[in-house]
Amino acid sequence: MSAPTGSTGQHAEPEEEFYTWTGKTRRWVLKKLPPDKLLPQDQPSYVASWIYVFGMGAIASLVIIIVSGLILSLNGPLWWHVSGFGHFINSTHLWSVEFFFLFMVVHLWGKYWMAAWRGGRVLTWITGVVSFAVSIVAAFTGYLLQTNFDSQWIAFEGKDALNAVGIGAWFNVANLGQIFMWHIVLLPLAVAAIVAFHVILVRVHGVVPPLDAADTDAQLQPAPQPVPQAQTLQQPTEEPTEVAR
Amino acid sequence: MSKPLSPMSWRKGTGIAGRPWKGQVREYDLFKELTIGVIVVTVLVVGVSLILSSPDDPSITLKTWANAKPADFVATATAELGGTSETAGYGPPYNSTPDATQTLGPIDLQSFSGVRIPIDTAKDLVIHPLSTLPNPPKEIATWTTASDKQRTDWTAAYSKALDKAPDNDPAKVADGSYGPVPALTGSLLAMAQEGSLDGVLQSRGSFYNTDYTPTILFLGDGTYFPDLATSQHLTGDQWGMMNETGNYPGQSWLWLFSFFYQIEPVKSAANADILVVVIMGVLTLLLAIVPFIPGLRTIPRWIPLHRLVWKDYYKKR
Amino acid sequence: MNSLLALAAGESPAIYLGWGDFVIQLGNFVVIIVMLVLFALALVLPFPAAKRRK
């Protein structure tokens, strides 16, 4: 939040003054997340493992969950019982959720074994766990909207845990209208917001380096044949953060 | 190279993990990866959906129940009248039955919301629906004018008699002083068998209604509905929380939640639900704060799977 | 193969695998195994080398 004084001169940027809330916000955002960090063209050399694809797999699944959910929304909660196409869309909604959790869990395991919270990345870890928890609630409300035998039973059985903690009146699993709103408005907004925040944090902090990385590692020495473009791209990302430290 | 900070610490510190990477880089295309990801997952999802589809066991109704297991229906209706059903003794948010709530020591979260979804089982599930009939049974008046003591005696006697009757068949119940109870429950059975009880209980006098609470609770108070769920391995003590009907995967991510219902002392505790919710809440919190917990955060160093993740990096050191 | 699909699609009675108090439905079991296998493969399989820009 504090303005980097002293070394700002290095940049020789135009002397734009930030005196409004809006301007100060822009300065803060650009310092935390300059465009080349938000949308990078390269990543550190250690980002080379299949374990890195599962986060993106979960996001891709979330995209399909939302698209199939939108199609189901267009037709209402009972459509899929009476339409072959509706049943197919319901199937894609179910399976994209199964894949979403599958990828998310493997992603979580991977990040744990990489101790990916190191180096100031703890909020990234926490938002990841929160998005997992919120997704579980969102999926649960989806099961309650099946409007079939399974949802009837889940409503009957599920009420006890919610009533026991005193929230069964606001989150009444047998109240289809209420659960419908939770499932198609409140919880999707919550999941989307927390996942977006999680992804932005990943971009802000960068991917965590290997556990045993040392300054003497060959890959930490300046690249043998530096690509001029990559060099200039990298420069601004380093400076502000270093100043901030 | 770094301060006396644990290498597993979440703190930014001065180590490599807390600094921007200055070493070698590789080309990486975020949007291309996203596009490929969406295409691959779409193919997977569409493929699996075409091959395996999704389950849809039809819902059951009070009509289904009353026709399939009339004896169970009558016994349940008697319990609703007498206030001895599970719902009648549930406590908040449905009613204020004393000492019915699940507590954790002195903490009584269940009472926190108060009675916000009031359900008087005799009135709401039996008497009111019967009063909507074109020719309501005249026994309603007998019931409403009787004393509480009288009502309890009638329903208790009838429940006992139903229990003893061959096949629990209401038609084979021995004579006794049951007051208006057999007539009331018999009329309700007829109403349910025709299908009109479903509508009356659901609409409760208004045109729009999306709240199925009374019907779900009524269904659950019997044995027909829970027995169907048991046969599909859906009940809590069968790991049912995770299960979907048939062989479809269900909410397997609820495995730990489900697990605690299978083990003692939770399994047979009267306050099992609050215990499990609290345990899961604590465990979820612990997972969120793993980076702060010495020991838990160090396991990845003791069991160095990271050597496999970054095998290329470590090879080229 | 057909019987396998019929099984998955719930056309034949569901299968539950059990060890004592531990019972798991086939579909959930498959999902969990797939997760573990994917995790193991992700650690073990070599990742393709990135193209180097000239």
Side-chain angles (χ1 to χ4, degrees), chain A residues 43 112 121 157 160 212 217, chain B residues 17 26 90 236 296 307 313:
Chain A
Q43 283 294 293
Y112 175 75
R121 293 173 178 81
E157 184 95 330
D160 297 333
D212 291 338
D217 289 345
Chain B
R26 73 201 316 268
Y90 195 92
L296 277 185
R307 296 238 146 234
Y313 180 89

Side-chain angles (χ1 to χ4, degrees), chain B:
Chain B
M1 73 216 168
S2 62
K3 297 225 177 89
L5 207 60
S6 151
M8 308 306 277
S9 172
W10 56 276
R11 283 176 205 283
K12 197 167 173 83
T14 52
I16 290 171
R19 277 183 267 143
W21 180 252
K22 283 194 215 137
Q24 292 177 26
V25 293
R26 73 201 316 268
E27 190 184 309
Y28 174 76
D29 194 337
L30 203 64
F31 285 180
K32 195 170 164 190
E33 191 188 336
L34 176 64
T35 309
I36 294 172
V38 170
I39 292 171
V40 169
V41 181
T42 304
V43 169
L44 276 172
V45 165
V46 169
V48 176
S49 299
L50 286 173
I51 298 170
L52 299 178
S53 186
S54 50
D56 190 14
D57 279 23
S59 50
I60 59 158
T61 58
L62 296 167
K63 183 182 179 182
T64 332
W65 176 22
N67 285 300
K69 289 276 161 67
D72 177 44
F73 182 89
V74 169
T76 309
T78 308
E80 305 293 11
L81 258 184
T84 54
S85 67
E86 192 190 320
T87 301
Y90 195 92
Y94 310 127
N95 45 54
S96 50
T97 311
D99 301 323
T101 56
Q102 294 194 23
T103 56
L104 202 62
I107 304 164
D108 183 4
L109 291 173
Q110 192 177 338
S111 297
F112 164 68
S113 67
V115 181
R116 299 190 69 95
I117 310 170
I119 291 177
D120 177 336
T121 56
K123 213 160 77 191
D124 295 335
L125 303 181
V126 185
I127 301 299
H128 170 72
L130 287 176
S131 68
T132 65
L133 286 171
N135 299 303
K138 56 185 185 316
E139 286 84 357
I140 290 179
T142 325
W143 175 266
T144 42
T145 52
S147 69
D148 282 350
K149 164 91 173 64
Q150 181 67 75
R151 292 177 184 171
T152 315
D153 289 347
W154 283 333
T155 49
Y158 193 52
S159 286
K160 209 176 279 174
L162 279 172
D163 225 23
K164 284 191 191 138
D167 305 323
N168 306 333
D169 186 346
K172 297 175 188 159
V173 162
D175 287 341
S177 82
Y178 313 130
V181 175
L184 294 174
T185 53
S187 300
L188 196 72
L189 176 67
M191 202 178 165
Q193 284 174 332
E194 283 162 11
S196 56
L197 183 59
D198 283 290
V200 169
L201 212 51
Q202 180 52 29
S203 76
R204 272 167 296 153
S206 87
F207 182 77
Y208 291 106
N209 203 333
T210 60
D211 184 359
Y212 290 78
T213 311
T215 315
I216 291 278
L217 292 177
F218 197 178
L219 281 170
D221 283 336
T223 59
Y224 175 69
F225 180 45
D227 283 350
L228 283 178
T230 306
S231 69
Q232 296 255 37
H233 284 240
L234 296 179
T235 65
D237 54 1
Q238 298 173 302
W239 295 82
M241 198 175 276
M242 290 165 70
N243 291 350
E244 175 59 274
T245 50
N247 275 316
Y248 287 92
Q251 303 177 77
S252 48
W253 41 90
L254 293 180
W255 70 274
L256 195 58
F257 209 107
S258 199
F259 166 77
F260 286 110
Y261 282 100
Q262 321 302 320
I263 54 156
E264 298 295 356
V266 177
K267 194 177 174 179
S268 46
N271 58 347
D273 293 298
I274 184 78
L275 281 179
V276 174
V277 174
V278 167
I279 293 171
M280 286 307 294
V282 170
L283 290 179
T284 306
L285 182 69
L286 282 179
L287 181 64
I289 60 167
V290 154
F292 302 103
I293 305 172
L296 277 185
R297 68 177 182 194
T298 318
I299 295 174
R301 174 163 286 284
W302 298 329
I303 306 172
L305 291 184
H306 69 91
R307 296 238 146 234
L308 290 170
V309 174
W310 291 305
K311 52 186 176 297
D312 290 350
Y313 180 89
Y314 292 135
K315 220 183 294 167
K316 291 185 204 146
R317 291 176 87 177

